Amino acid sequence: MAAKLKKGDTVIVLAGKDKGKEGVISSVDPKSNKAIVDGVKIALRATRQTQESQGGRIPKAMPIHLSNLAIKDANGKPTRVGFKMDGENKVRFAKTTGDVI
């Protein structure tokens, strides 16, 4: 099945402590149905010092479930994603506006 949310999409968080925040998807794991969104669900991770990087408490974006994310449409509101055929190509479109994503 085709992915409704992909890397590079601007999304809005629907549930959780970061509800209402916006961000860009940096990676998607389809096997676990989770995505990492920049600036959302930040946790502090303690890391050891190495030759390349300084150690300490470093903020890291944690995975968030895809069901808690909605793509942002042209009006800036969250929308669901549908699929339709555009000639020979299968394209994603926003359900609220009908625009091709």
Side-chain angles (χ1 to χ4, degrees):
M1 186 174 144
K4 294 188 177 193
L5 298 174
K6 296 182 179 180
K7 180 179 176 179
D9 287 344
T10 303
V11 293
I12 299 172
V13 180
L14 300 176
K17 69 172 187 163
D18 294 324
K19 182 177 179 179
K21 285 190 181 178
E22 295 179 16
V24 177
I25 295 179
S26 59
S27 68
V28 178
D29 182 16
K31 198 169 193 174
S32 65
N33 286 329
K34 293 189 177 196
I36 295 178
V37 181
D38 296 331
V40 175
K41 199 172 176 189
I42 302 294
L44 291 176
R45 289 288 173 246
T47 58
R48 286 186 181 264
Q49 182 177 0
T50 63
Q51 287 183 344
E52 296 86 32
S53 66
Q54 184 69 26
R57 298 171 67 201
I58 298 175
K60 180 181 177 185
M62 302 304 288
I64 186 168
H65 201 271
L66 293 177
S67 66
N68 296 328
L69 299 174
I71 199 160
K72 185 176 163 186
D73 66 0
N75 300 332
K77 300 201 173 174
T79 183
R80 291 180 295 163
V81 178
F83 293 99
K84 64 182 177 181
M85 295 302 290
D86 185 27
E88 291 291 318
N89 300 326
K90 184 177 181 182
V91 294
R92 299 183 300 160
F93 72 98
K95 294 256 184 157
T96 54
T97 59
D99 297 336
V100 174
I101 298 171

